[in-house]
Structure formats: structure tokens, C-alpha cells
Amino acid sequence: MAHTVTLIPGDGVGPELAEATRGVIDATGVKIGWEVQDAGLAVMEKEGTPLPDRVLDSIRRNKVAIKGPITTPRGGGFRSVNVALRKALDLYACLRPCKHYTGVRSRFEDVDLVVVRENTEDLYAGVEFEENSPEAREIVKLAGGRIRDDAAISIKPISAFASDRIVDFAFRYAKDNGRRKVTAVAKDNIMKVTDGLFYRTARDVAKRYEGQVEYDEWLVDAMCMQLVQKPELYDVLVMPNLYGDILSDLCAGLIGGLGVAPGANIGTDIAVFEAIHGSAPKYTGLNKVNPTALILSGVLMLRHLGEREAADRLENAVAAVIAEGKDVTYDMKPNRNDPTAVGTKEMAAAIIAKM
Ligand code: NAD
């Protein structure tokens, strides 16, 4: 086998999508040994945890994984497996390419953006203190009148280390993938200290790539307006965690939404590829949902494995099937009740036939 990859089918519609994705990747001819590792709801019932160590051990061993979505129970129940994976494996970069394919209904056509989001710090570090807790009172005191006595408080850590490694990741990605520009996005006119450090670090990193990749900066609010007015002007966008969470969904919306948006979470030597959508529980087992997002995540995985020719061939086949608009799932038809819509398996088969 040329590569061994951990395959986590997930739950809800995950297993159907994983099967379709494995089939099209195998059809490229790239030899992959799939190490299937279950995680999620059913595993919780059997093994008492939704993310057993065997799954993490397999990913650590193989360095590359592709996963279907996993349900996170609301309110009580277990914590998000997706978040736990990112933390346990220090997958510090969230990569979300947002490219429009002809045939996908969207308000915009000329969009080919890549959002790189920092995954480990910012307001998502989870350092929060309830109102009137001893810690909150301490911080209120330190703030010298700038915070109300009864405030709940979230801390926003931004470090030079994490900023350097995420911006460097964005530049490396740009360089390796023939991209021309990296835009750093934050808001240092208001968060002068934290976002100020992010931009200062980004400028230092940009110097390391001078003459190879261009660099510019936007404030996050202005960037949102730019993206919905002139998305074609931008290329790779890099930002701290919270802005990245919001802008990556905005950019997914620009290209037609959840069904077609791939992603990856990447660390120093480990990468986990996954669609950005969830487990769509109401469609479980119905062979109905769109496999495109997970298949395009597979395209990213093939590129990551150095299988660029196979990745291009698979991406072109996906693009051709979408452009034809015949063998596509219900969500890609102009009318969602269109009886000519095909199922997950049939769309995957059409993609294989195109290759
Ligand atoms: P969702 O993405 O599952 O569904 C949102 C909407 O999009 C639904 O109408 C769904 O039917 C539709 N949809 C999703 N994927 C589709 C596809 N491939 N083709 C066609 N339609 C599709 O989001 P949700 O309902 O908020 O979440 C459901 C569960 O998934 C939750 O438990 C959530 O925590 C989990 N989730 C997991 C991940 C992950 O594993 N990375 C990501 C997001 C949500």
C-alpha cells in the first residue's frame, strides 16, 4: 500500500458519506490501506466513550485521517468529539477552501478562497468565569472600573507562538498550492494588544515569504463587506479562532453552502480531513445527502499525501458531474423535490464514471 489512512465513518449520515468517499478515492487508483475506526454515538453506548484511545492511536500512527460527521448531543451528554480530536492531536490549523463550482446554485460565481483559522486559542480557549465568581471578581478589580461588577468574563489569549505558526501555515499552504496572496484578518483598532500582536507577528512571518507570496491586512468587519461584494479579490485568508469560525461559514455560504464545503484540521505532522457539515440525523440511512463535501475533503487529503494528479482528476470529475447537474443529490437541484435527484451512492458512481 502506498498510504495507510485512518477512516472514521462517524454517525448519522457519516457512514454513507464515508463509503461513497472511500469508493471514489479507491477509483483514482491511489493505493490506500484504510484503517476503519468507529467513533461517535454508537461507540459511546458500547465503549463508554465516543472517542476511544484506539482511534487516537490509529491517527497518531498513520498521521492522516478522514472522518464523517459525528453528532454532539445538545445540552447534556458527551462533549464534541470533533473538538476533542483537535485538542488531543493539537490540530492547530483549520483549513477551509471555498471554491465555486459551475452548476452549484449560489449568488456568486467567481469565488476561490481559502480560509485558514487558528484552532487552539482566542475566546475559544474556554477560559471563562461566571458572574460573581471569585475569579471574575478578581478580574473586575484588575480592570479598574472597565468591567461591571456583575459581568461573566471570557478571556481572549492570543500568543506570538500560535500566531506565528498559523500565519506560517497559511503562507506555506499558499506557496505549495500556487496561491498569490495571504490576507491577515483581525481587529487591532479595538483589540490593540491581542489582535495587535497577531498582526505584528503576521508581518514578521510575511517577511520570510517576501517575493514569493504577497501579504495584506484587513479589519474583520471591513473584510466581511469586501467578501460579499468583491470575493474575487481575495485568496488565502488567515485569522484567529473566532473570526475564523464566522468567516469560514460566510465563505461557505458564498460558494453554495454546506453540501459542497470541504475542510481539514491540521497539526505539525497529523492531518484530519472532514466536511464542514454535521451528521444530518434526519437523513440517516436514506442514501439521500450530498457526498460532495466529504469527497472534496478527500481531494484535499490526496493533495496532502502528494497524490496531486489523482486529486486533480477526482476534483475535475466532481466538477463535471455538478456542472452537468443530472446525477446530483436533491440539494443541488433547482427544486428540492425534483424526482430526478439521485442518491449519495449514485452521485458517487457518476463521479467514478467521469474519472
Ligand atoms: P448539519 O450540518 O448536520 O445539518 C444542517 C442542515 O444541512 C440540515 O438541513 C441537513 O439536512 C443539511 N445537510 C447537512 N449535510 C448535508 C449534505 N451532505 N447534503 C445535503 N444536506 C445536508 O448541522 P446540524 O443539524 O446543526 O447538526 C447535526 C449534528 O451534527 C449535531 O449533533 C452537530 O453537533 C453535529 N456536527 C458535527 C460536525 C462534525 O462532525 N464536524 C460539524 C457540525 C455539526
Side-chain angles (χ1 to χ4, degrees):
M1 283 298 162
H3 312 279
T4 307
V5 168
T6 302
L7 174 68
I8 305 169
D11 55 37
V13 294
E16 305 160 50
L17 297 175
E19 193 186 320
T21 301
R22 176 180 175 160
V24 296
I25 293 176
D26 283 342
T28 63
V30 173
K31 294 274 171 279
I32 292 185
W34 300 99
E35 211 171 282
V36 178
Q37 290 287 345
D38 288 320
L41 272 181
V43 172
M44 175 72 195
E45 281 156 25
K46 272 192 270 167
E47 299 181 44
T49 164
L51 182 62
D53 284 344
R54 59 173 169 76
V55 181
L56 292 169
D57 291 345
S58 167
I59 303 174
R60 286 196 184 100
R61 202 166 46 242
N62 298 326
K63 312 281 185 227
V64 179
I66 184 159
K67 73 173 269 297
I70 292 180
T71 304
T72 306
R74 293 187 64 178
F78 58 82
R79 294 175 71 90
S80 164
V81 170
N82 311 299
V83 174
L85 261 180
R86 281 167 222 161
K87 284 211 165 126
L89 302 171
D90 195 22
L91 305 176
Y92 66 84
C94 176
L95 178 70
R96 294 265 193 98
C98 294
K99 178 170 167 180
H100 180 259
Y101 293 94
T102 304
V104 178
R105 272 168 304 119
S106 151
R107 287 173 187 273
F108 297 88
E109 308 224 307
D110 199 6
V111 182
D112 185 4
L113 295 160
V114 179
V115 179
V116 175
R117 163 187 173 189
E118 206 285 327
N119 250 347
T120 67
E121 52 181 24
D122 194 352
L123 286 162
Y124 282 65
V127 191
E128 293 200 292
F129 301 109
E130 282 180 26
E131 72 279 16
N132 298 320
S133 62
E135 296 88 349
R137 279 205 218 102
E138 191 80 11
I139 295 167
V140 167
K141 223 189 295 159
L142 279 174
R146 284 171 295 173
I147 304 179
R148 290 185 60 94
D149 287 350
D150 60 350
I153 297 171
S154 252
I155 306 256
K156 167 171 164 145
I158 299 280
S159 68
F161 170 80
S163 302
D164 186 291
R165 81 175 169 172
I166 195 67
V167 178
D168 192 73
F169 176 92
F171 271 95
R172 255 185 295 128
Y173 181 88
K175 201 173 136 207
D176 293 348
N177 290 279
R179 298 271 172 173
R180 85 198 136 80
K181 180 166 81 172
V182 170
T183 302
V185 182
K187 196 163 171 67
D188 69 339
N189 53 339
I190 303 297
M191 274 150 289
K192 292 178 192 293
V193 177
T194 46
D195 288 5
L197 175 60
F198 182 80
Y199 280 127
R200 276 204 316 280
T201 311
R203 281 169 215 145
D204 285 345
V205 175
K207 285 192 198 118
R208 307 205 281 261
Y209 293 86
E210 222 161 57
Q212 304 173 69
V213 180
E214 290 170 43
Y215 171 73
D216 72 351
E217 294 172 358
W218 278 90
L219 295 176
V220 64
D221 44 347
M223 185 83 255
C224 287
M225 194 162 77
Q226 288 288 311
L227 286 171
V228 295
Q229 288 190 321
K230 299 174 241 175
E232 70 281 3
L233 296 185
Y234 302 93
D235 195 346
V236 177
L237 313 173
V238 63
M239 62 207 82
N241 211 335
L242 174 63
Y243 309 137
D245 190 12
I246 299 167
L247 257 66
S248 52
D249 269 28
L250 184 151
C251 291
L254 293 178
I255 57 152
L258 287 177
V260 291
N265 289 292
I266 301 179
T268 310
D269 62 349
I270 293 177
V272 178
F273 296 84
E274 64 178 327
I276 75 171
H277 61 70
S279 55
K282 68 180 177 202
Y283 292 127
T284 303
L286 299 183
N287 184 40
K288 186 164 169 89
V289 294
N290 191 347
T292 302
L294 194 58
I295 291 176
L296 289 175
S297 305
V299 168
L300 296 179
M301 184 183 85
L302 286 171
R303 291 212 174 97
H304 177 85
L305 291 170
E307 301 285 357
R308 286 180 178 259
E309 182 276 326
D312 291 346
R313 209 154 19 91
L314 176 52
E315 185 181 6
N316 290 339
V318 172
V321 168
I322 293 175
E324 257 176 35
K326 188 165 71 68
D327 296 313
V328 295
T329 46
Y330 75 100
D331 55 308
M332 299 194 105
K333 294 284 186 182
N335 167 4
R336 289 189 156 227
N337 297 318
D338 189 329
T340 67
V342 302
T344 310
K345 277 187 194 154
E346 291 71 25
M347 185 164 177
I351 292 167
I352 293 174
K354 277 277 179 257
M355 275 194 293

